[in-house]
Amino acid sequence: NLSDRLGVAKGDVLNVKDGISSGNAAVRLALGETHIISENIAFFESHGVDVKALESSSADKGVIRSKTMILVKNLPYDTSLEDLTKVFHGIGGDVPQRILLPPSKTAALVEYGHATDARRAFRRLAYKKFKHVPLYLEWAPMMSREQRA
């Protein structure tokens, strides 16, 4: 969670002392959330994922989706790379080429070498219970060649 990432107590994030809040806690939380979102965008864009495409409608024909990369969302905060490796290696076929988990641990990117293995993982793991929540999977949107330059 945000307080763990910043290395402070939860009360310090909210600026609560003796049960009394001083200032606007909602503003501080919004700033922390904005920081995490921008960190995720930078992390995934550095690995070729067009995060801004997620904001557009899934019916948008202009968004190019990968056939080998899966965006995994709705991850619990205590998710580790080892947890994801265990889940995605256990579906049969070839194992993923890479699994990327940003420091915020709010989403992950799983890339397979072949589209058939990625489709198998997607079908078997979409909405499957992971720890205490369902996994939300989506084909990762890709940057066009012009955007990468």
Side-chain angles (χ1 to χ4, degrees):
N1 66 27
L2 184 59
S3 62
D4 290 341
R5 300 239 2 254
L6 297 174
V8 297
K10 288 180 186 179
D12 292 340
V13 172
L14 299 174
N15 201 16
V16 175
K17 292 187 180 153
D18 299 323
I20 301 170
S21 176
S22 62
N24 194 340
V27 171
R28 285 188 296 283
L29 289 175
L31 289 172
E33 183 177 289
T34 301
H35 173 74
I36 289 172
I37 289 169
S38 64
E39 183 180 78
N40 282 352
I41 288 171
F43 179 86
F44 285 122
E45 282 183 345
S46 73
H47 291 91
V49 177
D50 184 6
V51 179
K52 290 180 180 45
L54 295 174
E55 297 171 1
S56 66
S57 155
S58 60
D60 185 1
K61 301 293 181 198
V63 177
I64 300 168
R65 300 283 176 165
S66 174
K67 295 180 184 191
T68 58
M69 294 170 75
I70 301 170
L71 188 60
V72 184
K73 302 186 293 185
N74 198 38
L75 296 173
Y77 176 71
D78 62 346
T79 299
S80 68
L81 190 55
E82 292 77 27
D83 294 334
L84 291 175
T85 300
K86 184 178 177 182
V87 169
F88 282 89
H89 280 215
I91 56 109
D94 286 347
V95 298
Q97 287 184 330
R98 66 181 175 160
I99 299 176
L100 302 171
L101 182 65
S104 69
K105 302 177 185 180
T106 56
L109 179 68
V110 179
E111 182 177 18
Y112 284 88
H114 302 286
T116 53
D117 295 318
R119 279 193 306 272
R120 179 184 301 112
F122 196 98
R123 282 193 312 265
R124 291 187 182 172
L125 298 174
Y127 303 107
K128 181 180 178 185
K129 188 174 181 181
F130 175 70
K131 297 191 177 195
H132 59 280
V133 298
L135 287 177
Y136 296 152
L137 304 183
E138 178 177 325
W139 293 109
M142 302 303 297
M143 286 183 173
S144 66
R145 294 190 200 286
E146 297 82 34
Q147 288 172 310
R148 287 185 198 165

